[in-house]
Amino acid sequence: MEFSAGQEPPRARRTDTSATGEPVPRTRRDAGRWLLTSAVVTLAPLITASRPYPTGPVPGADAPFDETYLGRRIRGAPVDLGSRAAPAVEWRVTVDGRPLHLMRRADGSWLSMVDHYGWYGTPLEATRAAVDELGPRGQLRDLAPGPLHGGHPHREAQYGVRA
């Protein structure tokens, strides 16, 4: 076996076969392309997720709504808190006449009690997402069936026991 200075033996090189069956040697350029592609595929979701949610004013965000969405009647209006210093941040929203609780996040986006893993730019978007999550047959339950409607659910008040 003969070796030249600075070269490796032909069998030691990694090769792929082309369509004709002939070996095609891999180069450093191919390795660089593979590394760059894998880095882009790995980092793209992280870069996308790290972008901040737009916190600027959303046009029409404070407008009340009353519409039929996917066969459901959704209504919503901002609740006046009576303070001139702070804008109204609470909403009274109903889906088919049943209340849907919306919460405002620190970044200005909204989430609902039905779909609390996602956040939305307006209360209307959050309400539509809740209807999507409920599906065609799902119904909202009452917000407080216990203490507000007939006593404590554990009935300790009935016996005077406080633990």
Side-chain angles (χ1 to χ4, degrees), residues 53 58 65 119-130 132:
Y53 192 81
V58 178
F65 54 90
W119 56 88
Y120 305 94
T122 64
L124 177 59
E125 291 175 11
T127 305
R128 287 179 177 168
D132 291 340

Side-chain angles (χ1 to χ4, degrees), residues 14-27 30:
R14 301 183 102 196
T15 59
D16 291 329
T17 56
S18 64
T20 59
E22 296 178 13
V24 178
R26 289 186 184 174
T27 62
D30 292 333

Side-chain angles (χ1 to χ4, degrees), residues 60-87:
D62 293 334
F65 54 90
D66 184 1
E67 68 178 47
T68 302
Y69 178 72
L70 298 178
R72 303 283 187 113
R73 182 69 179 249
I74 58 174
R75 294 179 181 180
V79 176
D80 185 18
L81 298 176
S83 172
R84 292 184 182 181

